[in-house]
Amino acid sequence: VRPDGRGLAKTRKTTITTGTVASAAGSAAVRLGNTAVVAAARLEVGRVESGAEGGVGRLAVNVELGPLCSSQYIPGRVSEDAHVASQFVEGILQSAGYVDMRQLCIVAETAVWTIYL
């Protein structure tokens, strides 16, 4: 038996709602028991910066941990945990090939898509 009283084979109630962030290109809210996560994606055309690889787009992941996660997280401040989680998720997405950064190139050496997650 788990701390919340569920048996080992019993799952928590799961709900998924899409389109939860109106200003995003795509978004979803997932609730698994008492745990809630919101994810949103925004795309922006960017210029290739001097010295940057001109044939690939960019991916920027931002994880925010609010005070509902823990009282140690203060609104408006990026915690070290959030920073590490952002880098971890970005690394997984890039190294596992989930996002082909070459496909985000619009015009080589000139314009690329940037995905903000």
Side-chain angles (χ1 to χ4, degrees):
V1 176
R2 298 178 186 183
D4 64 1
R6 288 180 297 122
L8 294 177
K10 182 144 173 77
T11 61
R12 293 183 283 175
K13 181 181 178 191
T14 303
T15 58
I16 300 173
T17 308
T18 59
T20 55
V21 180
S23 61
S27 63
V30 177
R31 182 170 283 283
L32 183 63
N34 292 328
T35 302
V37 175
V38 175
R42 182 173 59 88
L43 286 84
E44 185 176 282
V45 175
R47 294 173 41 150
V48 176
E49 297 173 16
S50 178
E53 188 175 347
V56 297
R58 293 189 290 266
L59 175 66
V61 175
N62 181 44
V63 173
E64 294 182 17
L65 301 171
L68 293 176
C69 296
S70 168
S71 60
Q72 73 179 8
Y73 302 127
I74 300 168
R77 263 178 146 174
V78 178
S79 69
E80 179 66 22
D81 292 342
H83 180 70
V84 169
S86 296
Q87 289 182 321
F88 180 73
V89 172
E90 188 172 317
I92 287 173
L93 292 173
Q94 288 186 4
S95 67
Y98 290 118
V99 179
D100 183 351
M101 304 306 283
R102 295 172 307 216
Q103 293 293 316
L104 299 176
C105 178
I106 300 169
V107 178
E109 307 298 327
T110 305
V112 295
W113 285 107
T114 299
I115 301 176
Y116 294 96
L117 296 176

